[in-house]
């Protein structure tokens, strides 16, 4: 649907990606408005079921973002997350969800510009999928 | 398989109960049976209709010493339960049965009529009057079976198959159609499939690895992952919870799909997940190793970030 607002649910780690998104906002970087951010204590908190639930409730895309590998506030949360999320991402085509609608990535607290770029690219990818189908 | 009865009787000297099969008087097929005494064991049978995975009963009998007749695939479920700690190795006595491949009883009934004797004791499909190629009515998992011999067993019964394992079966029927679908078509496909779901939870109850039973996340009121309403999106979410909780644990015994009264092809999801787990972690459930999501060692993590 052209012109439709893309609804994205973002699960962001409190210690890095959330602060990174905050920084992007403070710096007045342009970002799509369709992002709904849910702050989580750690990307390791993100149960794959949270992602699936978001899709089931009507999200157009789900973005999970945590600290870079090695930088987890709790030591290993992001290592646990990527194992689960990689499995989930590879399952999506069989579930009838385009893999472009899901992305997990690492953003540190100082990477505001990177965050803005990730959100923009992700939103564009979802728009492409929506228009293609 | 006559020699099974004395083996069960002998096992009963050291276990409380033996799980096996007996002939169902109603339908002419085998049904699960619990043998407590040698006299009861006279009813034991093993034929091509013993499709049930009896490992499903093991966790609830964890306080007893249990003997169990197991096919190759059932033994994988038992091994997985032991690896996860749901069952103690010392608590089970595995009677490994050499398996000729099990037939899909529903398909057989469609060919020969309900209630006919659909196979003989030797495991050969022998129908009255009509003949049908055995491959046509075999369960999907039995075509291209990877494990005809039990991975764990204390005693074996029957001749071990001398044939090499069959090559993996080419996707056929619904598997072929599903593979050819676009992602959007699959979304519609699952919506249609799950509009039939009656939320009977037979998939969960028949699954040997769904060990949580009454404390299942699917039925939790808080936080309410899947609504109790029997509609397609809620039933779909309920099934995704089950599939997700079986990641790296499903041994592919196909019991969920076989138990489904409305014929939802659940194995399409689980087979896909099993393939992805094997690809990502080199792990196949049903051996001695613990599942990948139960083990994680940060010091020996070999994850390739660029994968």
């Amino acid at each position: 649907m052209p012109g439709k607002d893309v609804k994205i649910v973002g699960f962001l780690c409190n210690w890095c990606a959330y602060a990174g998104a905050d920084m992007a906002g403070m710096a007045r970087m342009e970002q799509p408005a369709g992002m709904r951010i849910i702050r989580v204590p750690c990307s390791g908190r993100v149960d794959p079921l949270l992602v699936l639930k978001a899709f089931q409730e009507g999200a157009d895309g789900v973005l999970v973002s945590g600290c870079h590998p090695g930088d987890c506030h709790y030591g290993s949360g992001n290592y646990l997350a990527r194992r689960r999320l990689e499995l989930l991402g590879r399952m999506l085509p069989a579930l009838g969800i385009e893999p472009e609608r899901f992305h997990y990535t690492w953003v540190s607290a100082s990477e505001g510009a990177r965050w803005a770029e990730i959100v923009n690219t992700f939103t564009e990818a979802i728009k492409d999928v929506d228009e293609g189908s | 398989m006559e020699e099974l009865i004395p083996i069960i009787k002998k096992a009963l000297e050291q276990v409380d109960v033996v799980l096996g099969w007996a002939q169902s008087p109603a339908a002419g097929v085998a049904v699960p049976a619990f043998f407590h005494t040698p006299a009861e064991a006279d009813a034991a049978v093993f034929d091509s209709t013993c499709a049930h995975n009896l490992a499903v009963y093991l966790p609830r009998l964890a306080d007893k010493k249990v003997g169990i007749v197991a096919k190759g695939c059932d033994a994988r479920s038992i091994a997985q339960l032991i690896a996860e700690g749901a069952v103690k190795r010392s608590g089970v006595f595995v009677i490994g049965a050499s398996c000729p491949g099990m037939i899909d009883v529903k398909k057989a009934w469609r060919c020969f009529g309900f209630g006919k004797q659909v196979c003989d004791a030797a495991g050969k499909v022998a129908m009255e009057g009509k003949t049908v190629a055995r491959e046509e009515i075999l369960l999907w998992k039995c075509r291209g079976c990877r494990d005809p011999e039990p991975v764990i067993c204390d005693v074996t019964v029957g001749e071990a198959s001398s044939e090499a394992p069959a090559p993996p079966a080419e996707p056929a029927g619904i598997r072929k159609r599903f593979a050819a679908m676009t992602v959007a078509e699959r979304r519609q496909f699952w919506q249609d499939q799950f509009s039939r779901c009656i939320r009977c939870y037979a998939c969960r109850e028949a699954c040997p690895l769904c060990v949580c039973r009454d404390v299942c996340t699917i039925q939790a009121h808080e936080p309410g992952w899947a609504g109790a309403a029997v509609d397609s999106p809620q039933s779909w979410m309920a099934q995704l919870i089950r599939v997700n909780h079986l990641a790296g644990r499903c041994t592919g015994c196909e019991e969920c799909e076989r138990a489904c009264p409305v014929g939802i092809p659940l194995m399409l999801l689980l087979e896909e997940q099993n393939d992805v787990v094997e690809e990502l972690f080199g792990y196949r459930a049903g051996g001695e190793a613990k599942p990948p999501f139960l083990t994680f060692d940060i010091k020996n993590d070999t994850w390739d970030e660029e994968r």
Side-chain angles (χ1 to χ4, degrees), chain B residues 176-240:
Chain B
K176 197 172 168 186
R177 274 186 285 132
F178 186 77
M181 283 180 205
T182 65
V183 175
E185 284 167 347
R186 286 179 191 164
R187 185 154 57 231
Q188 187 60 44
F189 171 80
W190 287 122
Q191 207 174 322
D192 295 345
Q193 294 292 324
F194 277 87
S195 59
R196 289 207 302 280
C197 176
I198 54 173
R199 296 292 281 279
C200 65
Y201 302 117
C203 47
R204 180 187 73 192
E205 298 302 321
C207 175
L209 274 310
C210 270
V211 288
C212 307
R213 308 284 166 197
D214 282 355
V215 289
C216 177
T217 308
I218 296 171
Q219 283 169 299
H221 291 292
E222 285 293 331
W225 283 104
V230 183
D231 67 11
S232 183
Q234 302 297 340
S235 305
W236 172 228
M237 187 67 207
Q239 191 56 232
L240 290 185

Side-chain angles (χ1 to χ4, degrees), chain B residues 11-296:
Chain B
L12 278 169
E13 290 168 13
Q14 48 166 315
V15 299
D16 302 318
V17 57
V18 173
L19 311 180
W21 289 269
Q23 202 70 28
S24 154
V29 296
V31 289
F34 287 36
F35 306 114
H36 296 89
T37 63
E40 285 175 356
D42 283 328
V45 296
F46 187 80
D47 60 28
S48 289
T49 62
C50 296
H52 321 78
N53 187 345
L54 302 177
V56 72
Y57 300 114
L58 289 178
R60 71 188 75 166
L61 294 170
D63 58 336
K64 290 194 168 68
K65 174 100 177 154
V66 183
I68 178 168
V69 186
K71 309 181 289 291
C73 46
D74 307 342
R76 292 193 74 82
S77 300
I78 300 170
Q80 187 70 12
L81 286 167
I82 292 169
E84 294 182 15
V87 166
K88 278 208 281 296
R89 179 68 186 93
S90 57
V92 284
F93 182 82
V94 182
I95 303 168
S98 137
C99 173
M102 292 293 148
I103 60 172
D104 184 332
V105 172
K106 284 183 205 156
K107 276 190 190 158
W109 282 340
R110 213 173 299 144
C111 297
F112 303 102
F114 177 80
K116 292 265 178 65
Q117 187 77 22
V118 292
C119 64
D120 68 12
K124 301 262 163 52
V125 189
M127 322 287 175
E128 297 155 17
K130 261 172 162 178
T131 47
V132 155
R134 192 176 148 74
E135 287 68 37
E136 278 181 35
I137 54 170
L138 269 188
L139 285 172
W140 178 260
K141 66 170 172 182
C142 302
R143 305 185 202 181
C145 169
R146 285 164 83 177
D147 313 276
E149 304 307 324
V151 284
I152 56 165
C153 68
D154 297 293
V155 56
T156 52
V157 56
E159 293 277 309
S161 166
S162 54
E163 293 168 38
E170 280 293 315
I174 198 152
R175 283 169 177 78
K176 197 172 168 186
R177 274 186 285 132
F178 186 77
M181 283 180 205
T182 65
V183 175
E185 284 167 347
R186 286 179 191 164
R187 185 154 57 231
Q188 187 60 44
F189 171 80
W190 287 122
Q191 207 174 322
D192 295 345
Q193 294 292 324
F194 277 87
S195 59
R196 289 207 302 280
C197 176
I198 54 173
R199 296 292 281 279
C200 65
Y201 302 117
C203 47
R204 180 187 73 192
E205 298 302 321
C207 175
L209 274 310
C210 270
V211 288
C212 307
R213 308 284 166 197
D214 282 355
V215 289
C216 177
T217 308
I218 296 171
Q219 283 169 299
H221 291 292
E222 285 293 331
W225 283 104
V230 183
D231 67 11
S232 183
Q234 302 297 340
S235 305
W236 172 228
M237 187 67 207
Q239 191 56 232
L240 290 185
I241 294 171
R242 200 184 78 86
V243 171
N244 190 254
H245 287 177
L246 284 168
R249 306 177 58 233
C250 172
T251 60
C253 74
E254 240 178 77
E255 282 295 89
C256 48
E257 185 171 306
R258 213 175 56 81
C260 181
V262 294
I264 300 174
L266 299 170
M267 286 309 290
L268 290 177
L269 296 171
L270 290 155
E271 283 166 6
E272 173 72 16
Q273 180 164 266
N274 290 349
D275 287 350
V276 175
V277 167
E278 199 162 346
E279 193 182 304
L280 279 181
F281 303 104
Y283 180 86
R284 185 167 167 244
E288 283 178 11
K290 286 187 192 302
F293 290 107
L294 198 60
T295 55
F296 175 65

Side-chain angles (χ1 to χ4, degrees), chain A residues 72-117:
Chain A
C72 177
H73 185 77
Y74 302 102
S76 59
N78 50 4
Y79 291 106
L80 296 167
R82 69 179 177 189
R83 291 152 60 86
R84 300 178 193 135
L85 297 174
E86 183 65 30
L87 170 73
L88 175 73
R90 293 188 190 208
M91 281 293 287
L92 291 180
L95 307 184
I97 299 168
E98 290 83 1
E100 293 84 357
R101 295 183 187 277
F102 170 70
H103 190 48
Y104 71 94
T105 182
W106 319 122
V107 172
S108 82
S110 59
E111 291 175 323
R114 180 173 142 83
W115 169 256
E117 192 199 321

Side-chain angles (χ1 to χ4, degrees), chain A residues 54-78:
Chain A
F55 280 122
Q56 189 235 322
E57 297 282 347
D60 296 310
V62 180
L63 184 58
V64 180
S65 193
C67 307
H68 286 274
D71 292 348
C72 177
H73 185 77
Y74 302 102
S76 59
N78 50 4

